[in-house]
Amino acid sequence: MQQHSAHSSADLQRRDQQHIWHPFTSLASALPVIPIVEGKGVWLKTAEGRQILDGISSWWVNLHGHAHPHIAGAIAAQAHRLEQVIFAGFTHPAAVALAEQLLPQLPGRQELLFFSDNGSTAVEVALKMALQYWHNRNEPRQTLIALEGAYHGDTFGAMAVGGRGSFNRPFEQHLFDVEFIPFPEAGQEEACLEALRRLVGRGDVAAVIVEPLLQGAGGMRMYPAAVLDELFTIAQTAGVLCIADEVMTGFGRTGSLFACQQLAQRSPDLICLSKGLTGGFMPLGLTACTAAVAQAFRDANPDKTFYHGHSYTANPLACAAALASLELSLSDSCTQQRQAIARSHAAFASEIARHPSVEKVRQCGTILALELVTGESTSYFNARRNQIYQFFLDRDILLRPLGNVVYLMPPLCDLSCRTGAHLQRHPQPRR
Ligand SMILES: *Cc1c(COP(=O)(O)O)cnc(C)c1O
């Protein structure tokens, strides 16, 4: 790796600010972005050589640690063989192998994979498949149901099934109507299920979409598997398709490889995947569906074809990364890592729960969330959020609170990466 001077860091910041518009970032915000030049395990190295612990898996995508050699090697090898090929009328070995190896791991009997390139598109594909499923069967079902407070992405369809608020207010008039049912938090389970029963009773519901077991961007809000099982039962008994948006929960975050594996009775008809899918190396989205969903599209009538596709559908580099990442995810050592992180979260949770600044503590597998007492607004924009973000960053830890909810979602990487020399050192606040 080449050496970067402090000068090049300031230089990058200046040039960045001149030309680049960052996600979820105010153009009026004065905070300079931090140039990162290298990553290893849970560590990100800045242009100045400072090491920052990535406590949120770089927006929930990194799975086995940064720059994992197994995945990096698989991408490099693939790049030398085939970097991209049109996926209509053509295929390639990495896509076929990924489908063969991933489908049996998914909850329920998933028959086919449809490729796209991010979480929002995986959701768009699932919504369009569900609506066209009913169209192809000549049954007039148009209504979509989602949970209040949901987050399914930033494209229009994904925004429409997401909770309405500041993030999508400018577009509200352009979002199609969706029926929202209460989030099944403790004490509200029956209200949620009753609202669902009422809606599916109308006979016009096409599909219900949920983030299984926990809403991520909505504040790491969790609900029990038994409630989700009941929710799917109510929907599927009425013929309604169930879409599990496992974009965040997939690949071990909730303890099991997929959140829906924790259900005792039901499984989704459609599953959306992205984020951890490639270990956080390449953008890739997947929508899996059951044979029953696919059946509605097996028709020679061209009106019943699913006309959807992206230029980079099933990009070979992304598929190679996903295959390598899946291999790691299925290894004993990764399972042990997940268990070790869950145990360490549980121990910390029981300790920190007594802290006077902590209102609530929640854990789901490798995700730990602390709801802090704020005394003021708990919205995403409250001032404490920025203070907390800066507090940890000053101590070389990257956390990105959702309003007053501070959460940990570390990469599930090898212990040797997590207990390196840097962890032993007591981080000093930087001024
Ligand atoms: C992040 C996220 C998405 C959107 O994925 P992008 O790749 O950011 O478009 C969709 N659903 C859930 C549950 C997510 O957490």
Side-chain angles (χ1 to χ4, degrees), residues 93-161:
V96 175
L98 178 59
E100 284 175 349
Q101 289 174 39
L102 183 57
L103 280 166
Q105 301 295 334
L106 295 176
R109 287 231 206 107
Q110 305 300 323
E111 171 115 336
L112 293 179
L113 287 184
F114 192 97
F115 289 81
S116 59
D117 41 35
N118 61 71
S120 304
T121 54
V123 168
E124 298 285 345
V125 166
L127 297 176
K128 286 176 69 173
M129 270 184 186
L131 291 170
Q132 192 176 343
Y133 168 86
W134 294 109
H135 174 87
N136 285 2
R137 291 165 52 113
N138 299 313
E139 291 183 53
R141 292 195 184 218
Q142 298 287 335
T143 302
L144 296 169
I145 300 177
L147 292 180
E148 282 169 6
Y151 179 78
H152 295 290
D154 289 340
T155 52
F156 272 87
M159 277 196 294
V161 289

Coordinates of all heavy atoms in Angstrom, one line a residue, residues 93-161:
P93 N -21.1 -19.2 -15.6 CA -20.9 -20.1 -14.5 C -21.2 -19.6 -13.1 O -21.7 -20.2 -12.2 CB -19.5 -20.7 -14.6 CG -19.1 -20.4 -16.0 CD -19.9 -19.2 -16.4
A94 N -20.7 -18.3 -12.8 CA -20.8 -17.8 -11.5 C -22.3 -17.6 -11.1 O -22.7 -17.9 -9.9 CB -20.0 -16.5 -11.3
A95 N -23.1 -17.2 -12.0 CA -24.5 -17.0 -11.7 C -25.2 -18.3 -11.4 O -26.0 -18.4 -10.5 CB -25.2 -16.2 -12.8
V96 N -24.9 -19.3 -12.3 CA -25.5 -20.6 -12.1 C -25.1 -21.2 -10.8 O -25.9 -21.7 -10.0 CB -25.1 -21.5 -13.3 CG1 -25.7 -23.0 -13.0 CG2 -25.7 -21.0 -14.6
A97 N -23.8 -21.2 -10.5 CA -23.3 -21.8 -9.2 C -23.9 -21.0 -8.0 O -24.3 -21.7 -7.0 CB -21.8 -21.7 -9.2
L98 N -24.0 -19.7 -8.1 CA -24.6 -19.0 -7.0 C -26.1 -19.4 -6.7 O -26.5 -19.6 -5.6 CB -24.5 -17.5 -7.2 CG -25.2 -16.6 -6.2 CD1 -24.5 -16.8 -4.8 CD2 -25.1 -15.1 -6.6
A99 N -26.8 -19.5 -7.8 CA -28.2 -19.9 -7.7 C -28.3 -21.3 -7.1 O -29.1 -21.6 -6.2 CB -28.9 -19.9 -9.1
E100 N -27.5 -22.2 -7.6 CA -27.5 -23.6 -7.1 C -27.2 -23.7 -5.6 O -27.7 -24.5 -4.9 CB -26.6 -24.5 -7.9 CG -27.1 -24.9 -9.3 CD -26.1 -25.6 -10.1 OE1 -24.9 -25.7 -9.7 OE2 -26.5 -26.1 -11.1
Q101 N -26.2 -22.9 -5.2 CA -25.8 -23.0 -3.8 C -26.6 -22.1 -2.8 O -26.7 -22.5 -1.7 CB -24.3 -22.6 -3.7 CG -23.5 -23.7 -4.4 CD -22.0 -23.4 -4.5 OE1 -21.4 -22.8 -3.6 NE2 -21.4 -23.7 -5.6
L102 N -27.2 -21.0 -3.3 CA -27.9 -20.2 -2.4 C -29.4 -20.7 -2.2 O -29.9 -20.6 -1.1 CB -27.9 -18.7 -2.9 CG -28.6 -17.7 -2.0 CD1 -27.9 -17.7 -0.6 CD2 -28.5 -16.3 -2.7
L103 N -30.0 -21.0 -3.3 CA -31.4 -21.4 -3.2 C -31.7 -22.4 -2.1 O -32.7 -22.2 -1.3 CB -32.0 -21.9 -4.5 CG -32.3 -20.8 -5.5 CD1 -32.5 -21.3 -6.9 CD2 -33.5 -20.0 -5.1
P104 N -31.0 -23.5 -1.9 CA -31.3 -24.5 -0.9 C -31.1 -23.9 0.5 O -31.6 -24.5 1.5 CB -30.3 -25.6 -1.1 CG -29.7 -25.4 -2.5 CD -29.8 -23.9 -2.8
Q105 N -30.3 -22.8 0.7 CA -30.1 -22.2 2.0 C -31.2 -21.3 2.4 O -31.3 -20.9 3.6 CB -28.8 -21.4 2.0 CG -27.5 -22.2 1.6 CD -27.2 -23.3 2.6 OE1 -27.6 -23.2 3.8 NE2 -26.5 -24.3 2.2
L106 N -32.0 -20.9 1.4 CA -33.0 -19.9 1.7 C -34.2 -20.5 2.5 O -34.5 -21.7 2.2 CB -33.5 -19.2 0.4 CG -32.5 -18.3 -0.3 CD1 -33.0 -17.8 -1.6 CD2 -32.0 -17.2 0.6
P107 N -34.9 -19.8 3.3 CA -36.1 -20.3 4.0 C -37.2 -20.6 3.0 O -37.4 -19.9 2.1 CB -36.5 -19.2 5.0 CG -35.8 -18.0 4.5 CD -34.6 -18.4 3.7
G108 N -37.9 -21.7 3.3 CA -39.0 -22.1 2.4 C -38.4 -22.8 1.2 O -37.2 -23.1 1.1
R109 N -39.3 -23.0 0.2 CA -38.8 -23.7 -1.0 C -38.7 -22.6 -2.1 O -39.7 -22.4 -2.8 CB -39.8 -24.8 -1.4 CG -39.6 -26.0 -0.6 CD -39.5 -27.3 -1.4 NE -40.0 -28.4 -0.7 CZ -41.1 -29.0 -1.0 NH1 -41.8 -28.6 -2.0 NH2 -41.5 -30.0 -0.2
Q110 N -37.6 -22.0 -2.2 CA -37.4 -20.9 -3.2 C -36.9 -21.6 -4.5 O -36.0 -22.4 -4.4 CB -36.4 -19.9 -2.7 CG -36.8 -19.2 -1.4 CD -38.2 -18.5 -1.4 OE1 -38.6 -17.9 -2.4 NE2 -39.0 -18.6 -0.3
E111 N -37.6 -21.3 -5.6 CA -37.3 -22.0 -6.8 C -36.4 -21.2 -7.8 O -35.5 -21.8 -8.4 CB -38.6 -22.3 -7.5 CG -38.5 -22.8 -8.9 CD -39.0 -24.3 -9.0 OE1 -39.1 -25.0 -8.0 OE2 -39.4 -24.6 -10.2
L112 N -36.6 -19.9 -7.9 CA -35.9 -19.2 -8.9 C -35.3 -17.9 -8.3 O -35.9 -17.3 -7.3 CB -36.8 -18.7 -10.0 CG -37.4 -19.8 -11.0 CD1 -38.3 -19.2 -12.0 CD2 -36.2 -20.6 -11.6
L113 N -34.2 -17.5 -8.8 CA -33.6 -16.2 -8.4 C -33.7 -15.2 -9.6 O -33.4 -15.6 -10.7 CB -32.1 -16.4 -8.2 CG -31.7 -17.1 -6.9 CD1 -30.1 -17.0 -6.8 CD2 -32.3 -16.5 -5.7
F114 N -34.1 -14.0 -9.3 CA -34.0 -12.9 -10.3 C -32.9 -11.9 -9.8 O -33.0 -11.5 -8.6 CB -35.4 -12.2 -10.4 CG -35.4 -11.3 -11.6 CD1 -36.0 -11.7 -12.8 CD2 -34.9 -10.0 -11.5 CE1 -36.1 -10.9 -13.9 CE2 -35.0 -9.1 -12.6 CZ -35.6 -9.6 -13.8
F115 N -32.0 -11.6 -10.6 CA -30.9 -10.7 -10.3 C -31.1 -9.3 -10.5 O -31.7 -8.9 -11.6 CB -29.6 -11.1 -11.0 CG -29.0 -12.4 -10.6 CD1 -29.5 -13.6 -11.1 CD2 -27.9 -12.5 -9.8 CE1 -29.0 -14.9 -10.8 CE2 -27.4 -13.7 -9.4 CZ -27.9 -14.9 -9.9
S116 N -30.7 -8.4 -9.6 CA -30.6 -7.0 -9.9 C -29.4 -6.4 -9.2 O -28.4 -7.2 -9.0 CB -31.9 -6.3 -9.4 OG -32.1 -6.4 -8.0
D117 N -29.3 -5.1 -8.8 CA -28.0 -4.7 -8.3 C -28.0 -3.9 -7.0 O -27.0 -3.4 -6.7 CB -27.3 -3.9 -9.4 CG -28.2 -3.0 -10.2 OD1 -29.1 -2.5 -9.6 OD2 -27.9 -2.8 -11.4
N118 N -29.1 -3.9 -6.3 CA -29.1 -3.3 -4.9 C -30.3 -3.7 -4.2 O -31.2 -4.4 -4.8 CB -28.9 -1.8 -5.0 CG -30.0 -1.1 -5.7 OD1 -31.1 -1.0 -5.2 ND2 -29.7 -0.6 -6.9
G119 N -30.4 -3.3 -3.0 CA -31.6 -3.7 -2.2 C -32.9 -3.1 -2.7 O -33.9 -3.8 -2.7
S120 N -32.9 -1.8 -3.0 CA -34.1 -1.2 -3.5 C -34.6 -1.9 -4.8 O -35.8 -2.1 -4.9 CB -33.8 0.3 -3.9 OG -33.3 1.0 -2.7
T121 N -33.7 -2.2 -5.7 CA -34.2 -2.9 -6.9 C -34.7 -4.3 -6.6 O -35.6 -4.8 -7.2 CB -33.1 -3.0 -8.0 OG1 -31.9 -3.6 -7.4 CG2 -32.7 -1.6 -8.5
A122 N -34.1 -5.0 -5.6 CA -34.6 -6.3 -5.2 C -36.0 -6.2 -4.7 O -36.8 -7.0 -5.0 CB -33.7 -6.9 -4.1
V123 N -36.3 -5.1 -4.0 CA -37.6 -4.8 -3.5 C -38.6 -4.5 -4.7 O -39.7 -5.0 -4.8 CB -37.6 -3.7 -2.5 CG1 -39.0 -3.2 -2.2 CG2 -37.0 -4.2 -1.2
E124 N -38.1 -3.6 -5.6 CA -38.9 -3.2 -6.8 C -39.3 -4.5 -7.5 O -40.5 -4.7 -7.9 CB -38.2 -2.3 -7.7 CG -37.8 -1.0 -7.1 CD -38.9 0.0 -7.0 OE1 -40.0 -0.2 -7.6 OE2 -38.8 1.0 -6.3
V125 N -38.4 -5.4 -7.7 CA -38.6 -6.6 -8.5 C -39.7 -7.5 -7.7 O -40.6 -8.0 -8.4 CB -37.3 -7.4 -8.7 CG1 -37.6 -8.8 -9.1 CG2 -36.4 -6.7 -9.7
A126 N -39.6 -7.6 -6.4 CA -40.5 -8.4 -5.7 C -41.9 -7.8 -5.8 O -42.9 -8.5 -6.0 CB -40.1 -8.5 -4.2
L127 N -42.0 -6.5 -5.6 CA -43.3 -5.8 -5.7 C -44.0 -6.0 -7.1 O -45.1 -6.3 -7.2 CB -43.2 -4.3 -5.4 CG -42.7 -3.9 -4.0 CD1 -42.6 -2.4 -3.9 CD2 -43.7 -4.4 -2.9
K128 N -43.1 -5.8 -8.1 CA -43.6 -5.9 -9.5 C -44.0 -7.4 -9.8 O -45.0 -7.7 -10.4 CB -42.6 -5.4 -10.5 CG -42.5 -3.9 -10.6 CD -41.4 -3.4 -11.5 CE -41.7 -3.7 -13.0 NZ -40.7 -3.0 -13.8
M129 N -43.2 -8.3 -9.3 CA -43.6 -9.8 -9.5 C -44.9 -10.1 -8.8 O -45.7 -10.8 -9.4 CB -42.5 -10.7 -8.9 CG -41.4 -11.0 -9.8 SD -40.3 -12.1 -9.0 CE -39.0 -12.2 -10.2
A130 N -45.1 -9.6 -7.6 CA -46.3 -9.9 -6.8 C -47.5 -9.3 -7.6 O -48.5 -10.0 -7.7 CB -46.2 -9.3 -5.4
L131 N -47.4 -8.1 -8.1 CA -48.5 -7.5 -8.7 C -48.8 -8.2 -10.1 O -50.0 -8.4 -10.4 CB -48.3 -5.9 -9.0 CG -48.3 -5.1 -7.7 CD1 -47.8 -3.7 -7.9 CD2 -49.7 -5.1 -7.0
Q132 N -47.7 -8.5 -10.8 CA -48.0 -9.1 -12.1 C -48.4 -10.6 -11.9 O -49.2 -11.1 -12.8 CB -46.7 -9.1 -13.0 CG -47.0 -9.5 -14.4 CD -45.9 -9.4 -15.4 OE1 -44.9 -8.7 -15.1 NE2 -46.0 -10.0 -16.5
Y133 N -48.1 -11.2 -10.8 CA -48.6 -12.5 -10.5 C -50.1 -12.5 -10.6 O -50.7 -13.4 -11.2 CB -48.1 -12.9 -9.1 CG -48.7 -14.2 -8.5 CD1 -48.2 -15.4 -8.8 CD2 -49.8 -14.1 -7.6 CE1 -48.8 -16.6 -8.2 CE2 -50.4 -15.2 -7.0 CZ -49.9 -16.4 -7.3 OH -50.4 -17.5 -6.8
W134 N -50.7 -11.6 -9.9 CA -52.2 -11.5 -9.9 C -52.7 -11.1 -11.3 O -53.8 -11.6 -11.7 CB -52.7 -10.6 -8.8 CG -52.4 -11.1 -7.4 CD1 -51.4 -10.7 -6.6 CD2 -53.0 -12.3 -6.9 NE1 -51.4 -11.5 -5.4 CE2 -52.3 -12.5 -5.6 CE3 -54.0 -13.2 -7.2 CZ2 -52.7 -13.5 -4.7 CZ3 -54.3 -14.2 -6.4 CH2 -53.6 -14.4 -5.2
H135 N -52.0 -10.1 -11.9 CA -52.4 -9.7 -13.3 C -52.4 -10.9 -14.2 O -53.4 -11.1 -15.0 CB -51.4 -8.7 -13.8 CG -51.6 -8.2 -15.2 ND1 -52.5 -7.2 -15.5 CD2 -51.1 -8.7 -16.3 CE1 -52.5 -7.1 -16.8 NE2 -51.6 -7.9 -17.4
N136 N -51.4 -11.7 -14.2 CA -51.3 -12.9 -15.1 C -52.4 -13.9 -14.8 O -52.8 -14.6 -15.7 CB -49.9 -13.5 -14.9 CG -48.8 -12.7 -15.6 OD1 -49.1 -11.7 -16.2 ND2 -47.6 -13.2 -15.6
R137 N -52.8 -14.0 -13.5 CA -53.9 -14.9 -13.2 C -55.3 -14.3 -13.4 O -56.3 -14.9 -13.0 CB -53.7 -15.3 -11.7 CG -52.5 -16.2 -11.5 CD -52.1 -16.3 -10.0 NE -53.2 -16.7 -9.2 CZ -53.3 -17.9 -8.6 NH1 -52.3 -18.7 -8.6 NH2 -54.4 -18.2 -7.9
N138 N -55.3 -13.1 -14.0 CA -56.6 -12.4 -14.2 C -57.4 -12.3 -13.0 O -58.6 -12.3 -13.0 CB -57.4 -13.1 -15.3 CG -56.7 -13.2 -16.6 OD1 -56.1 -12.2 -17.1 ND2 -56.6 -14.4 -17.2
E139 N -56.7 -12.0 -11.8 CA -57.4 -11.8 -10.6 C -57.1 -10.3 -10.2 O -55.9 -10.0 -10.1 CB -57.0 -12.8 -9.5 CG -57.4 -14.2 -9.8 CD -57.1 -15.1 -8.6 OE1 -57.4 -14.8 -7.5 OE2 -56.4 -16.1 -8.9
P140 N -58.1 -9.5 -9.9 CA -57.9 -8.1 -9.7 C -57.4 -7.8 -8.3 O -58.1 -7.1 -7.6 CB -59.2 -7.5 -10.0 CG -60.2 -8.6 -9.6 CD -59.5 -9.9 -9.8
R141 N -56.2 -8.2 -8.0 CA -55.7 -7.8 -6.6 C -54.6 -6.7 -6.8 O -53.6 -7.0 -7.5 CB -55.1 -9.0 -6.0 CG -56.1 -10.1 -5.6 CD -55.4 -11.0 -4.6 NE -56.2 -12.2 -4.2 CZ -56.2 -12.6 -3.0 NH1 -55.4 -12.1 -2.0 NH2 -56.9 -13.7 -2.7
Q142 N -54.8 -5.6 -6.2 CA -53.9 -4.4 -6.4 C -53.3 -3.9 -5.2 O -52.3 -3.2 -5.2 CB -54.7 -3.3 -7.1 CG -55.3 -3.6 -8.4 CD -54.3 -3.6 -9.5 OE1 -53.2 -3.0 -9.4 NE2 -54.6 -4.3 -10.6
T143 N -53.9 -4.3 -4.0 CA -53.4 -3.6 -2.8 C -52.1 -4.2 -2.2 O -52.0 -5.5 -2.2 CB -54.5 -3.7 -1.7 OG1 -55.7 -3.1 -2.2 CG2 -54.1 -3.1 -0.4
L144 N -51.3 -3.4 -1.8 CA -50.0 -3.8 -1.1 C -50.1 -3.4 0.4 O -50.6 -2.3 0.7 CB -48.8 -3.2 -1.7 CG -48.5 -3.7 -3.2 CD1 -47.4 -2.8 -3.8 CD2 -48.1 -5.1 -3.2
I145 N -49.6 -4.2 1.3 CA -49.6 -3.9 2.7 C -48.2 -3.9 3.2 O -47.4 -4.7 2.8 CB -50.4 -5.0 3.5 CG1 -51.9 -5.1 3.1 CG2 -50.3 -4.7 5.0 CD1 -52.7 -6.1 3.8
A146 N -47.9 -2.9 4.1 CA -46.6 -2.8 4.7 C -46.7 -2.5 6.1 O -47.8 -2.1 6.6 CB -45.7 -1.8 3.9
L147 N -45.7 -2.6 6.9 CA -45.7 -2.2 8.3 C -45.4 -0.7 8.5 O -44.5 -0.2 7.8 CB -44.7 -3.0 9.1 CG -44.9 -4.5 9.3 CD1 -43.8 -5.1 10.1 CD2 -46.3 -4.8 10.0
E148 N -46.0 -0.1 9.4 CA -45.7 1.3 9.7 C -44.2 1.4 10.1 O -43.7 0.5 10.8 CB -46.5 1.8 10.9 CG -47.9 2.2 10.5 CD -48.9 2.4 11.6 OE1 -48.4 2.4 12.8 OE2 -50.1 2.6 11.3
G149 N -43.5 2.4 9.7 CA -42.1 2.6 10.1 C -41.1 1.8 9.3 O -39.9 1.8 9.5
A150 N -41.6 1.1 8.2 CA -40.8 0.3 7.4 C -39.8 1.1 6.6 O -40.0 2.3 6.3 CB -41.6 -0.6 6.5
Y151 N -38.7 0.4 6.2 CA -37.7 1.0 5.2 C -37.4 -0.1 4.2 O -36.9 -1.2 4.6 CB -36.4 1.5 5.9 CG -35.5 2.0 4.9 CD1 -35.7 3.3 4.3 CD2 -34.4 1.3 4.4 CE1 -34.8 3.8 3.3 CE2 -33.6 1.8 3.4 CZ -33.8 3.0 2.9 OH -32.9 3.5 1.9
H152 N -37.7 0.2 2.9 CA -37.4 -0.8 1.9 C -36.5 -0.3 0.8 O -36.4 -0.9 -0.2 CB -38.7 -1.4 1.4 CG -39.5 -2.1 2.4 ND1 -39.1 -3.4 2.9 CD2 -40.7 -1.9 3.0 CE1 -40.0 -3.8 3.8 NE2 -41.0 -2.9 3.9
G153 N -36.0 1.0 0.9 CA -35.2 1.5 -0.1 C -35.6 2.9 -0.5 O -36.6 3.4 -0.1
D154 N -34.9 3.5 -1.5 CA -35.1 4.9 -1.9 C -35.6 5.1 -3.3 O -35.7 6.2 -3.7 CB -33.8 5.6 -1.7 CG -33.4 5.8 -0.2 OD1 -34.3 5.7 0.6 OD2 -32.2 6.0 0.1
T155 N -35.9 4.0 -4.0 CA -36.5 4.2 -5.3 C -38.0 4.3 -5.1 O -38.5 4.1 -4.0 CB -36.2 3.0 -6.3 OG1 -36.6 1.8 -5.5 CG2 -34.8 3.0 -6.6
F156 N -38.8 4.7 -6.1 CA -40.2 5.1 -5.9 C -41.1 4.0 -5.3 O -41.8 4.2 -4.3 CB -40.8 5.7 -7.1 CG -40.6 7.2 -7.2 CD1 -39.4 7.7 -7.8 CD2 -41.4 8.1 -6.6 CE1 -39.1 9.0 -7.8 CE2 -41.2 9.4 -6.6 CZ -40.0 9.9 -7.2
G157 N -41.0 2.8 -5.8 CA -41.8 1.7 -5.3 C -41.4 1.4 -3.9 O -42.2 1.1 -3.0
A158 N -40.1 1.3 -3.7 CA -39.6 1.0 -2.3 C -39.9 2.1 -1.3 O -40.3 1.8 -0.2 CB -38.0 0.8 -2.4
M159 N -39.9 3.4 -1.8 CA -40.3 4.5 -0.9 C -41.8 4.3 -0.6 O -42.3 4.6 0.5 CB -40.1 5.8 -1.6 CG -38.7 6.3 -1.5 SD -38.7 8.1 -1.9 CE -39.1 8.2 -3.6
A160 N -42.6 3.9 -1.6 CA -44.1 3.8 -1.4 C -44.4 2.8 -0.3 O -45.4 3.1 0.5 CB -44.8 3.4 -2.7
V161 N -43.7 1.7 -0.2 CA -44.0 0.7 0.9 C -43.2 1.0 2.2 O -43.3 0.3 3.1 CB -43.7 -0.7 0.4 CG1 -44.7 -1.2 -0.6 CG2 -42.3 -0.9 -0.1

